[in-house]
Amino acid sequence: MMKKIRKLVLIFAILILTSCSSDSPQDVTDLIVQPEAEEPILKGTWEVYDIKNTDNSSNPQSYKVGDLLYIDKDLVAINNDYALPPKFTSKYVNITKYLDSRGIDLKTSSKADVVVLNASQGQLYSKDFVIINKNTILFVNDNKIILLKRKSPNVEKKVLEKYQAKSEAERSFTIEGEAVEVDINIYIGVRERVESYGKDPSYYYYTYSVRIEPNKPARIYKTKDIYFPKKDEFWRFKAIKNDNNGKYDSLMAYPVRLDKNINSKDNQEKYTFTDHDKDMRFNFVNENFISFDYSSKSNNLPINKYAMVKIDELDKNSLMDISDYTGDKESNKNLEDVIYDEVSKNFADVKKDDIIYDFTNFGIIRNQGLWTFQTSYLINKDDSIQQKSFPIDLAIRDDLIIGTKKNLNVDQVKNINSQEKDYFELINDQYVAIQTADELIFYKIKNGYIEINPSFYIPFNNPTQVIMFEQGLGSYADKWEKSFIENNDIIR
């Protein structure tokens, strides 16, 4: 086994050190450039010549030696995965950090910076290609390193015609004219509240996987915890209840490949956030952030605040402040002004010094078909503590929430189901999921209108809040469904 690891490390050391320039930029992780559309830097036909299994997994491989990758200004494709047309961006990254973020530990450290070309097409396709040299590239899939060599500098016309025909047969268009797949798989993360007489409520977190294929009944699976996609792999989120006091004061978020080893000291430190002074209730999970509201056990007053943590920085065990999210140092001052204006609406002659400001006090909640930001204020006025939660106008970044659509308005939805408390539009414009007090009901959309009769539904036995709604189209749909079944205990 050690011999195999050394061999893998040696291969990459040789590839990287012989192909990376020593004068590469020093601060380059976010240096993103747009390659010229008329000639992608990796144009040509590429062939898989080796596959490195980095975790000794026996799971079936999506790719095999001999598979061909096509890269052209009009097409990026390998097997059944394709972008037509693709959008290209590129960036410089440190190879060790890049592979580590995708679950691959080379057992060595390199200062080498490499170019990564990303090809994407909306919700249909996104893949990174790491450039080792002009004739060698790699990409990561399911903890495997796929190595390719350039077979030809061109892509044959018949290949493009083949994928154009495939696209016409498989894909449709949204109202906005975006090409989408009809085949879709959805991960729906929920928080269930269970009341206990004389005690605080208990919260349980689950994920539903919903596969919707054309002309087939929907397939629905359920498992405990929150199961979600992150880059090229799948992760698991757990809310941890303290057995000594019944409070939720810890969380874990980690790659499912670590399920068997997650209790090791190193993994516990890297993938756990703990604050024994907090009782947390989770409102939002995606590949970048976890958001929750909480009360502090050390405070005798029922004060409620909001918070966010970065999934990739759980080892820091710290909350984000608002400038961490916006990237603007002025955001703290802006939040202070927003809170002061809100307080001034409710209290006369208030002074800024009467308000207690906390710049980590912001988070994401679900509100009428949208994810929105929420904060709260705390004011000491007339010898009493006053607090209030309210929404704040903070832009939802594209990398924070992907696939949030808003073609339908609340009135349209309520006309179909007057019991609506929330709704979720599918990114392929095929369905809308309407949540009521005890169900999540899926209605078909045809020509922009919601059909009256529901197609299927998910029943809720307890008060339930949706905290995640992730959607995978086309080949992603199949991958997501298979991963969900293979890596979870399905609740019947």
Side-chain angles (χ1 to χ4, degrees):
M1 176 62 189
M2 287 302 297
K3 188 175 182 179
K4 183 178 179 181
I5 292 175
R6 291 194 191 99
K7 183 178 179 182
L8 179 60
V9 172
L10 180 61
I11 289 172
F12 275 91
I14 292 173
L15 283 171
I16 293 163
L17 293 177
T18 58
S19 60
C20 298
S21 170
S22 60
D23 60 349
S24 55
Q26 296 300 306
D27 185 13
V28 293
T29 301
D30 297 320
L31 183 57
I32 299 176
V33 295
Q34 187 80 28
E36 294 187 15
E38 52 277 355
E39 189 170 338
I41 57 178
L42 295 180
K43 180 182 178 182
T45 300
W46 300 77
E47 183 177 12
V48 176
Y49 72 88
D50 199 3
I51 298 175
K52 301 296 182 183
N53 190 350
T54 63
D55 63 355
N56 294 318
S57 171
S58 59
N59 292 336
Q61 296 186 13
S62 301
Y63 305 99
K64 63 182 184 299
V65 172
D67 283 348
L68 298 180
L69 165 70
Y70 306 100
I71 300 180
D72 182 83
K73 66 183 180 68
D74 297 316
L75 172 72
V76 173
I78 181 170
N79 298 341
N80 290 321
D81 295 335
Y82 63 99
L84 194 157
K87 175 184 177 183
F88 296 102
T89 57
S90 65
K91 58 186 175 182
Y92 289 98
V93 300
N94 175 272
I95 185 63
T96 302
K97 292 181 179 178
Y98 174 84
L99 292 175
D100 181 66
S101 72
R102 280 149 180 78
I104 294 176
D105 184 2
L106 290 181
K107 310 298 181 183
T108 187
S109 179
S110 170
K111 295 182 180 180
D113 294 308
V114 296
V115 176
V116 174
L117 178 74
N118 177 266
S120 65
Q121 185 185 7
Q123 300 295 321
L124 292 172
Y125 186 92
S126 180
K127 192 175 292 295
D128 284 349
F129 300 101
V130 180
I131 302 175
I132 303 303
N133 57 51
K134 66 178 183 179
N135 289 315
T136 308
I137 62 175
L138 68 85
F139 65 88
V140 177
N141 183 76
D142 291 338
N143 302 318
K144 297 176 180 64
I145 297 173
I146 316 297
L147 291 157
L148 305 95
K149 59 185 178 183
R150 194 191 300 264
K151 187 176 181 180
S152 167
N154 300 303
V155 176
E156 293 184 5
K157 183 180 178 181
K158 66 180 181 180
V159 172
L160 181 59
E161 292 174 346
K162 168 190 169 183
Y163 281 97
Q164 285 175 334
K166 185 177 178 64
S167 175
E168 290 173 2
E170 295 176 343
R171 296 179 175 177
S172 60
F173 292 88
T174 65
I175 294 173
E176 298 88 353
E178 179 186 359
V180 293
E181 296 267 10
V182 177
D183 188 6
I184 190 170
N185 199 97
I186 312 158
Y187 285 166
I188 306 169
V190 302
R191 182 189 70 230
E192 290 190 13
R193 187 180 79 244
V194 177
E195 301 288 350
S196 300
Y197 181 75
K199 297 180 180 179
D200 290 335
S202 295
Y203 294 99
Y204 298 91
Y205 297 84
Y206 300 98
T207 306
Y208 293 90
S209 173
V210 180
R211 178 71 181 276
I212 307 175
E213 290 186 274
N215 305 316
K216 293 183 180 180
R219 298 191 293 275
I220 303 172
Y221 310 94
K222 180 182 180 181
T223 192
K224 65 179 182 179
D225 303 323
I226 303 299
Y227 189 83
F228 63 99
K230 180 172 168 60
K231 294 176 181 164
D232 298 307
E233 57 184 347
F234 295 89
W235 281 48
R236 194 182 309 282
F237 162 84
K238 293 185 176 184
I240 301 173
K241 189 174 185 178
N242 190 319
D243 292 334
N244 295 323
N245 55 32
K247 306 299 183 183
Y248 297 88
D249 58 13
S250 296
L251 68 90
M252 295 183 70
Y254 62 90
V256 295
R257 58 186 164 80
L258 296 179
D259 268 336
K260 294 181 180 179
N261 300 312
I262 191 58
N263 291 323
S264 72
K265 182 180 178 182
D266 288 346
N267 286 336
Q268 287 285 314
E269 291 176 353
K270 185 174 182 178
Y271 298 108
T272 302
F273 172 89
T274 300
D275 188 333
H276 295 305
D277 189 48
K278 290 180 171 53
D279 187 11
M280 298 180 279
R281 187 180 66 165
F282 300 95
N283 301 316
F284 175 81
V285 176
N286 83 342
E287 68 174 0
N288 299 312
F289 304 102
I290 297 169
S291 182
F292 55 90
D293 61 76
Y294 69 93
S295 58
S296 296
K297 291 181 286 187
S298 62
N299 198 318
N300 293 325
L301 298 171
I303 297 172
N304 197 65
K305 290 186 176 183
Y306 299 86
M308 291 180 63
V309 294
K310 292 182 180 179
I311 285 185
D312 289 336
E313 297 181 3
L314 293 181
D315 55 336
K316 293 182 179 180
N317 212 66
S318 60
L319 303 178
M320 297 175 63
D321 68 33
I322 198 164
S323 63
D324 291 330
Y325 171 76
T326 63
D328 185 355
K329 294 181 179 179
E330 293 296 315
S331 296
N332 288 3
K333 176 65 167 58
N334 294 337
L335 181 62
E336 187 175 305
D337 292 340
V338 167
I339 293 174
Y340 176 70
D341 290 344
E342 184 70 22
V343 172
S344 300
K345 296 176 185 176
N346 298 285
F347 298 94
D349 302 323
V350 68
K351 298 179 181 179
K352 277 198 170 184
D353 292 341
D354 294 329
I355 305 171
I356 300 173
Y357 298 100
D358 179 355
F359 300 115
T360 67
N361 182 12
F362 75 108
I364 301 171
I365 65 167
R366 187 71 186 175
N367 182 28
Q368 287 296 323
L370 290 174
W371 299 105
T372 61
F373 279 96
Q374 189 96 341
T375 188
S376 61
Y377 65 71
L378 180 68
I379 182 172
N380 189 350
K381 187 72 174 173
D382 299 327
D383 296 323
S384 67
I385 298 293
Q386 302 288 335
Q387 72 164 339
K388 178 185 177 182
S389 296
F390 64 97
I392 53 176
D393 186 14
L394 189 62
I396 300 287
R397 291 187 338 210
D398 288 342
D399 69 329
L400 173 58
I401 298 169
I402 299 173
T404 299
K405 294 180 67 69
K406 200 68 169 63
N407 292 328
L408 303 173
N409 59 48
V410 175
D411 290 339
Q412 288 176 281
V413 175
K414 283 191 176 293
N415 285 340
I416 296 298
N417 192 321
S418 61
Q419 303 302 310
E420 176 268 343
K421 57 176 282 190
D422 198 0
Y423 66 98
F424 303 83
E425 298 178 50
L426 271 58
I427 52 179
N428 61 5
D429 285 345
Q430 299 295 307
Y431 288 86
V432 59
I434 300 178
Q435 185 180 1
T436 66
D438 55 7
E439 293 176 321
L440 184 64
I441 311 171
F442 286 75
Y443 292 85
K444 192 83 173 66
I445 297 176
K446 192 171 183 179
N447 298 324
Y449 294 95
I450 307 172
E451 293 189 351
I452 296 176
N453 296 319
S455 297
F456 63 93
Y457 68 96
I458 299 173
F460 296 142
N461 297 322
N462 299 297
T464 298
Q465 177 64 47
V466 174
I467 67 171
M468 180 188 75
F469 201 88
E470 296 283 348
Q471 306 179 56
L473 292 166
S475 60
Y476 287 107
D478 188 59
K479 179 180 178 180
W480 285 24
E481 182 184 35
K482 288 180 179 178
S483 177
F484 193 89
I485 296 171
E486 290 171 357
N487 294 302
N488 293 292
D489 293 326
I490 304 302
I491 299 172
R492 304 297 179 182

